[in-house]
Amino acid sequence: VGMSSCPDKPETALRSDALRNRRALLRAARELFAGNIDVPMYEIARLAGVGQATLYRHFPDRSALAGAIAEEILDELEVFAADHPEGADLFFPLLQCFIRLASQSGGLIAAVREGSGAESELKYLNDRLFALFACPLREAKASGVVRPDLELEDVLRTVNMVHGALDAVEVDLERRRADVSRALDLIINGIAG
Amino acid sequence: VGMSSCPDKPETALRSDALRNRRALLRAARELFAGNIDVPMYEIARLAGVGQATLYRHFPDRSALAGAIAEEILDELEVFAADHPEGADLFFPLLQCFIRLASQSGGLIAAVREGSGAESELKYLNDRLFALFACPLREAKASGVVRPDLELEDVLRTVNMVHGALDAVEVDLERRRADVSRALDLIINGIAG
């Protein structure tokens, strides 16, 4: 309450400015990474409308940026899960949501892996993902909507498989989306008739 | 007949020597590429037991080597198809054979793509693959063992998806094989229960 009565307090203004920059950087990075994870850092700063110094203050390297995007994707997945009724019906929509979000930034995990603190960051991301899917997967198995031997590792595998189906040189986002849909459909429904 | 009566004729000896070197180089490259497509060219020459000059005479660059391996895989697939009865029962064994062979050299197509004559080589490989799968796929669809909307492009997609499921940093071939099996099983049978 005290904060909101004093919106122009310098410290608060600085913090909200930093948050705004951070959000703009992440949005720009996600947009550019969708086409190519190797896009230069200065292009991300330019699209975000901030200086390179600001970019590097928030994200010292590409690995830090990739990790932040991965965490943001998990945030969005958690919101998605919270917005949907629990039970056996959650697994497939949650998996589809995960794959669509993840496939917009192919190579994200490879970029995280190049960082100095990669091991603990990857473990953190993995733990959060598995925690998110554990209950929906258990309930989907219990009610028979997924094969009984499906494991949490398969959730990750599915994302990697869809990513593998994307042509590395294809930049047309519409065609990439079509490729994601087809690969997802093949995995979910299988090839057998 | 004239040839076999004169096995030490210099020209023939040279040709068989060149063939032996070529085969040794391809065998070495396939063995080393199985772990990592970026293995240095001199290691391939060393494992094959030939000099680097010989390597470069046969394969001027990594792209040429990757293309030759891809062609060899197609040769083996054609032999596999010829050894098996035609009809609806050929599609799945042929697909499995293709995926196992292709997944032993991940990144092969990316390596071919880097060459100067990439476009025509990729078209050649693609045409041969589609010619090989056209009849088995048609018969598998006709008899209902695969979903009716499956297309030749999906055969390629499947291989890319299995490749995507392989952890780029995993060097244990036994674990890679297990990953290939699981990914293949997920695509063929799907996730839905």
Side-chain angles (χ1 to χ4, degrees):
Chain A
V1 175
M3 289 292 217
S4 66
S5 69
C6 182
D8 291 315
K9 198 180 158 201
E11 212 182 347
T12 315
L14 184 69
R15 265 179 55 196
S16 76
D17 202 47
L19 267 177
R20 197 162 42 236
N21 282 342
R22 189 185 149 86
R23 255 185 245 121
L25 283 164
L26 284 174
R27 196 163 46 229
R30 282 178 76 160
E31 188 175 328
L32 293 172
F33 281 178
N36 175 16
I37 195 90
D38 290 326
V39 64
M41 292 288 269
Y42 67 80
E43 279 200 22
I44 295 167
R46 191 167 55 188
L47 181 63
V50 306
Q52 287 195 57
T54 303
L55 166 58
Y56 286 107
R57 196 158 55 238
H58 285 279
F59 306 106
D61 55 27
R62 185 185 308 276
S63 166
L65 195 47
I69 293 175
E71 290 177 25
E72 207 177 52
I73 287 175
L74 283 168
D75 293 342
E76 292 167 23
L77 272 179
E78 281 163 4
V79 169
F80 181 91
D83 281 350
H84 281 73
E86 279 182 41
D89 294 343
L90 180 56
F91 180 77
F92 278 119
L94 189 63
L95 179 65
Q96 276 163 336
C97 183
F98 178 39
I99 286 176
R100 278 179 211 288
L101 287 170
S103 65
Q104 281 161 22
S105 300
L108 213 53
I109 293 306
V112 173
R113 193 173 272 144
E114 283 166 17
S116 53
E119 210 173 321
S120 63
E121 174 71 8
L122 288 172
K123 190 183 175 325
Y124 168 75
L125 293 170
N126 203 71
D127 287 351
R128 265 184 77 183
L129 184 72
F130 281 11
L132 183 60
F133 272 94
C135 187
L137 176 59
R138 193 166 45 238
E139 290 179 356
K141 282 161 83 164
S143 69
V145 298
V146 299
R147 48 194 281 176
D149 69 342
L150 204 68
E151 291 177 10
L152 284 168
E153 280 78 12
D154 293 319
V155 169
L156 261 185
R157 205 183 305 270
T158 305
V159 175
N160 291 333
M161 287 164 78
V162 171
H163 178 57
L166 299 180
D167 189 332
V169 296
E170 177 63 69
V171 290
D172 182 331
L173 289 183
E174 207 51 56
R175 286 192 56 176
R176 284 178 76 95
R177 259 191 286 270
D179 283 336
V180 168
S181 292
R182 181 64 178 173
L184 191 56
D185 185 49
L186 287 181
I187 295 181
I188 289 179
N189 297 312
I191 283 179
Chain B
V1 176
M3 287 295 217
S4 65
S5 69
C6 181
D8 292 314
K9 198 182 156 198
E11 212 181 346
T12 314
L14 186 69
R15 265 177 58 194
S16 76
D17 202 47
L19 268 177
R20 197 163 42 238
N21 282 343
R22 188 186 149 88
R23 255 187 243 119
L25 283 164
L26 284 173
R27 195 165 46 231
R30 282 177 76 160
E31 188 176 329
L32 293 171
F33 281 177
N36 175 15
I37 194 91
D38 289 327
V39 64
M41 292 288 269
Y42 66 80
E43 280 200 20
I44 295 167
R46 192 167 53 190
L47 182 63
V50 306
Q52 287 196 57
T54 303
L55 166 58
Y56 286 107
R57 197 160 52 239
H58 284 279
F59 305 107
D61 55 28
R62 183 185 309 275
S63 165
L65 195 46
I69 293 175
E71 290 178 25
E72 208 177 51
I73 288 175
L74 283 168
D75 293 343
E76 291 167 22
L77 272 180
E78 281 164 3
V79 168
F80 182 91
D83 281 351
H84 281 73
E86 280 183 42
D89 294 345
L90 179 56
F91 179 77
F92 279 119
L94 189 63
L95 179 66
Q96 277 162 336
C97 183
F98 178 39
I99 286 176
R100 279 179 210 288
L101 287 170
S103 65
Q104 280 162 23
S105 298
L108 212 53
I109 293 307
V112 173
R113 193 173 273 145
E114 283 165 16
S116 53
E119 211 173 319
S120 63
E121 174 71 9
L122 288 172
K123 189 183 176 326
Y124 168 75
L125 293 170
N126 202 71
D127 287 351
R128 266 184 78 184
L129 185 72
F130 281 12
L132 183 59
F133 271 95
C135 187
L137 176 59
R138 194 167 44 237
E139 290 179 354
K141 283 162 83 165
S143 69
V145 297
V146 299
R147 48 194 283 176
D149 69 343
L150 205 69
E151 292 176 9
L152 285 168
E153 281 77 12
D154 294 316
V155 169
L156 260 185
R157 206 183 303 272
T158 305
V159 174
N160 290 333
M161 288 163 78
V162 171
H163 177 57
L166 298 179
D167 190 333
V169 296
E170 177 64 70
V171 290
D172 182 332
L173 289 183
E174 207 51 56
R175 286 192 56 176
R176 284 178 75 96
R177 259 190 286 271
D179 283 335
V180 168
S181 292
R182 182 62 178 173
L184 192 55
D185 185 48
L186 287 181
I187 294 182
I188 288 179
N189 297 313
I191 282 179

